[in-house]
Every structure is written in C-alpha cells, then in structure tokens.
Amino acid sequence: MTGATGTTGMEVIKALKARGAEAHALVRDETKAHHLRDLGFEPVTGDLGDPRTLGPALEGVTRAYLCSPIGPMQSEFEQAFLETAKEAGVQHVVKLSVIGANPEAPLRFARTHARVEQALRDSGMAWTLLRPTSFMQNTLAWGARVLDGTFYSPVPDAAFSLVDARDVAEVAAVALTEDGHEGKAYGLSGPEAVSYRDQAKRVFAAAGREIEVEEIPVEALKRELVRAGVPPWNAEGLSEQFELYASGGLQMVTSGVKDALGRDPRTIDDFAKDHVDAFKEQA
C-alpha cells in the first residue's frame, strides 16, 4: 500500500490489522514509519517518483492500495505505479480518488484523479475506486490555529459534504481483503453537508469551547497558504474548491459507506467526540 503514513493510509493500516491482513507499507523515509512498526507492519522503502524503487516493494503483492499526495505530478506518479504494479503481477488495485472525478471537472484535483482512474480501467487489472468528499480530519489542524476564539473561512456558510477518513479506510480494507468489490466506484460521504461555520461550532463545542466565525477573502487566504509553504498549484486548487463550495457544487450525500460496510457513516459529531483533545484550548 502507498500513502501509508497519510490521512487515510494509517487508518487503512489499522483496518487491515483488525482484519488480520498482511501488507507491505511503502514509505519514502523509514524514520517516519515507527507507527507502522508499532502496528506490526514492516515498512518497505520506495518512491512513486522513481518507479525503479517500486519493484521490490511489489514483490509477491496481489492487491494494492494507491494513494499519493496532491500535486501537479500526481497523475504521472500514479500511472507509473500502475505500470509497475501490472508488471509485478498485481491483480487488483484499490485507488483513492475524489468525489466528482471527471476529465471535465471544474477542480484540478478531480481532473487529475480522473486521468488515473482511466489508466487503471485500461490497465487490465481489477479495480475499485474510492471517491470521498472532504475529510473530517482536515478540522484537526484548527485547534492550534484558533487561539483567539475566532475561526476564519473564505466561505463560512457554504455547506459541503464531509466523510470520516476512518470510514474511507474501512471501505478500502474491505475492498482489499474481500471479493465482490471489483469494478465498483464508491462515492463516500458522511450523512450531511455541513458549512465551515457549523463544523467549527460543533467540533469546538465538543471540547467545551465557544468560538466566533469570520469571513476572509479567498485571495487573502491563498496568499497566506503560499506564504506558509503550500505550493502555488495546490493553493490555486484550494481556491477552486472554495468557489465550488460557494456554488453549492459539493453538497452531495452518498450511500457508498453503507453500501460497502452495511452501516451508516460517522457524523461530524461522532468525529468531534472521538477527537476532543484536538480542539481543547491550548495550554
């Protein structure tokens, strides 16, 4: 599996462990992989940007989880992985994509994933596509930023769909360890669309905090993101995403989690209760 130390990757590892499955966890830097060893998974070193390093990691692998960081080279890296995986004898790839993946999508992130989805379909390997909405885990960074009791957003009242990465990971683990998920594309969301204002109020309320929410210009936020080290391509993509939120284009609620797992997805309130410490006032 790729992306083993990322938002979904670590949760996929936990879900696979719960199922008693064995996996090779691909990492670029083994010094960042101690959590994998703690869970009983030995990391293997490799880099999606250098396909020559992937062969040893894929030896003996029959199913693979494909996930990589967002960026302008993402589709090239993932397509190179698919070519190497096919040569290594991988039979089934479960790819983490995004809701609305389409070559004509307004979001560059969705267009990037659509190119890889098509390459996977054309590869001859069995495939399963996971298309999540925005992750609830993105809120975990807010606790350290909301120090003055105010949360800032360029689109505070635009509702959009969210999903807990743990739900996505459980769907991935099921698709990786059970038959019957080949050729399926799962749209994965929680049970409701929630605005930034409501998200912030609900996650901080779970930690006993009342906060204010204020609007800031998208361009101002984009400048701050770049100043903080976010690559310009990614910052532009986030700006596109905010515009789509504002238009109401990402409010869809899907049945994918229940279709795959036979249960309802976690709510934002479930998530907040499980992560109270992340939203408590900083000492």
Side-chain angles (χ1 to χ4, degrees):
M1 61 171 294
T2 62
T5 59
T7 300
T8 62
M10 189 58 70
E11 297 299 338
V12 174
I13 286 286
K14 293 175 184 176
L16 289 173
K17 180 179 175 63
R19 290 178 156 262
E22 296 181 2
H24 294 174
L26 186 73
V27 294
R28 283 190 298 176
D29 183 356
E30 283 201 34
T31 63
K32 299 179 180 179
H34 59 278
H35 295 304
L36 299 172
R37 291 193 178 92
D38 291 344
L39 290 167
F41 289 81
E42 190 63 28
V44 292
T45 305
D47 187 344
L48 290 181
D50 185 358
R52 294 171 300 178
T53 68
L54 301 177
L58 288 165
E59 187 175 345
V61 171
T62 57
R63 303 190 186 198
Y65 176 69
L66 177 56
C67 165
S68 68
I70 293 171
M73 293 297 292
Q74 182 180 14
S75 65
E76 285 79 2
F77 290 165
E78 292 196 2
Q79 288 179 71
F81 175 88
L82 294 177
E83 292 171 6
T84 307
K86 184 173 182 179
E87 291 172 2
V90 173
Q91 299 167 16
H92 183 186
V93 174
V94 177
K95 171 176 163 48
L96 182 70
S97 184
V98 69
I99 200 77
N102 187 290
E104 306 300 323
L107 293 181
R108 63 189 62 195
F109 304 147
R111 295 193 298 272
T112 292
H113 281 294
R115 288 194 291 272
V116 184
E117 286 190 1
Q118 189 58 53
L120 177 53
R121 289 193 191 92
D122 294 341
S123 71
M125 294 181 288
W127 52 267
T128 305
L129 304 175
L130 310 183
R131 294 173 175 163
T133 57
S134 183
F135 291 129
M136 294 177 186
Q137 277 72 7
N138 292 339
T139 66
L140 293 175
W142 297 354
R145 297 207 313 255
V146 180
L147 303 178
D148 62 352
T150 304
F151 176 81
Y152 298 92
S153 169
V155 286
D157 296 306
F160 58 95
S161 189
L162 296 161
V163 66
D164 193 316
R166 293 174 295 179
D167 288 339
V168 177
E170 288 181 33
V171 175
V174 165
L176 287 165
T177 58
E178 295 181 3
D179 295 328
H181 300 277
E182 298 84 351
K184 292 187 177 180
Y186 290 108
L188 303 173
S189 81
E192 61 180 327
V194 189
S195 70
Y196 274 119
R197 188 182 303 278
D198 285 344
Q199 288 177 50
K201 287 185 176 295
R202 288 162 72 173
V203 297
F204 283 103
R209 297 176 66 186
E210 290 187 12
I211 64 165
E212 297 297 322
V213 179
E214 292 187 10
E215 185 171 354
I216 57 171
V218 172
E219 287 302 315
L221 177 61
K222 188 164 64 176
R223 286 195 298 271
E224 287 300 318
L225 289 170
V226 172
R227 189 175 293 123
V230 175
W233 187 91
N234 296 59
E236 288 287 347
L238 289 171
S239 180
E240 294 170 355
Q241 193 163 293
F242 290 134
E243 291 174 8
L244 195 54
Y245 288 160
S247 73
L250 286 172
Q251 295 188 31
M252 65 286 288
V253 172
T254 68
S255 64
V257 172
K258 190 163 189 176
D259 292 341
L261 303 180
R263 64 161 176 80
D264 292 330
R266 293 173 173 91
T267 68
I268 187 70
D269 300 308
D270 295 331
F271 172 85
K273 289 174 185 174
D274 290 341
H275 296 86
V276 167
D277 287 347
F279 302 107
K280 286 182 177 176
E281 197 142 11
Q282 302 296 304

